[in-house]
Amino acid sequence: MAMSCSTLLFAAEVGESALDLSLPLIVNQAQNAETVSLSDHQGKIIYLDFWASWCPPCLVSMPIMNEMRNRLQSQGLPFEVIAVNVDSDVEDGMDFLLDKPVDFIVLTDPQGETPARYKIKGMPTSFLISAAGVIEMKHEGFKQSDAAMIEKEILRLSELSQ
Amino acid sequence: MILKLKLVMFPLIAIVAGVLAGCESVEAWERGTLAKPEMAIVSDSLEAALNDHIYFSKEASNGGHSATGGGCGCN
């Protein structure tokens, strides 16, 4: 498949405009899967997270980010979490979500095209994207103690965009 | 002489090409199979932890023994 010039030049580093992605929701994998794009949430601060069910730190991050997302949204912050599950077997990701459901958007990419475009080196890797669509933070791995730092950065971006 | 050289070089190139074809990098998101417990060199987690402790304390070496955790280097 031919890659566009912007995809080839994209290094997924802080300061770059986030590359748009469009993937099906994990729950609607079977047929007529509804797709969600980053651009659908333009104007919001987005926490884009690449995760897999076989990656323990990824699983640690899911409930923490869910709680943070719900709390910040209830405070009126224009914030959304978009998680991309990269399990080659979609069922594995769905099994985890059935056990520990989350309220944010979970997309599926079993072919691994988007993590390749985002030059992922380890799992999980997350990107904090500003309301203007610029990557403001790239975070590899996840520990419970990282949540405070991520939230601080989200609040900083929120203040900047006001 | 040239014929002899060709006879030696051809199998040599074939072997090198065959070996290099086996070199395949596994991307971070493709490690699901490697992360399965049955893929671990030592499947008993207690024994693995004990071995790790021995290597760490006797040889000051640590890590690189498992794909579990996704290779993020965060644990």
Side-chain angles (χ1 to χ4, degrees):
Chain A
M1 196 173 77
M3 287 177 113
S4 69
C5 199
S6 60
T7 305
L8 288 171
L9 293 173
F10 182 63
E13 293 298 340
V14 171
E16 279 185 276
S17 288
L19 210 60
D20 198 12
L21 54 84
S22 187
L23 291 167
L25 286 166
I26 196 166
V27 285
N28 293 334
Q29 246 304 287
Q31 278 183 344
N32 302 322
E34 185 192 340
T35 58
V36 174
S37 305
L38 273 189
S39 50
D40 295 342
H41 294 271
Q42 211 167 19
K44 290 180 189 171
I45 298 161
I46 296 172
Y47 182 82
L48 176 66
D49 184 30
F50 291 90
W51 71 283
S53 65
W54 44 262
C55 154
C58 304
L59 307 186
V60 170
S61 77
M62 301 293 274
I64 294 172
M65 291 313 299
N66 193 46
E67 185 277 325
M68 188 190 297
R69 176 252 190 204
N70 289 346
R71 185 163 39 78
L72 294 178
Q73 278 195 356
S74 69
Q75 291 168 9
L77 245 75
F79 172 63
E80 187 56 271
V81 175
I82 299 180
V84 179
N85 176 259
V86 298
D87 277 290
S88 55
D89 185 353
V90 184
E91 294 289 326
D92 292 342
M94 284 182 72
D95 282 349
F96 171 77
L97 291 171
L98 284 172
D99 194 33
K100 289 181 179 167
V102 292
D103 302 310
F104 54 74
I105 298 162
V106 184
L107 309 175
T108 175
D109 185 3
Q111 307 301 323
E113 281 173 20
T114 49
R117 285 163 66 198
Y118 268 81
K119 313 281 190 297
I120 302 300
K121 297 273 184 277
M123 296 291 295
T125 296
S126 57
F127 298 87
L128 196 59
I129 300 165
S130 72
V134 177
I135 297 173
E136 295 289 345
M137 190 188 79
K138 180 179 179 178
H139 186 63
E140 292 183 345
F142 192 91
K143 295 191 295 289
Q144 200 164 0
S145 54
D146 295 343
M149 179 266 293
I150 293 166
E151 185 169 343
K152 197 174 161 188
E153 188 62 16
I154 293 166
L155 294 173
R156 188 186 70 84
L157 289 177
S158 168
E159 279 172 21
L160 282 177
S161 62
Q162 277 171 4
Chain B
M1 180 68 186
I2 292 171
L3 187 67
K4 267 189 177 176
L5 199 67
K6 276 183 179 174
L7 282 171
V8 172
M9 287 301 281
F10 184 73
L12 196 69
I13 290 168
I15 290 167
V16 170
V19 168
L20 288 178
C23 297
E24 179 72 38
S25 65
V26 181
E27 300 292 353
W29 59 91
E30 298 172 334
R31 295 168 64 114
T33 306
L34 285 172
K36 286 180 178 168
E38 59 267 33
M39 291 296 281
I41 295 167
V42 181
S43 57
D44 182 349
S45 59
L46 192 64
E47 189 186 337
L50 198 64
N51 285 344
D52 266 0
H53 182 75
I54 293 166
Y55 288 131
F56 181 69
S57 58
K58 302 288 182 192
E59 299 181 5
S61 61
N62 197 18
H65 49 79
S66 168
T68 310
C72 61
C74 48
N75 286 337

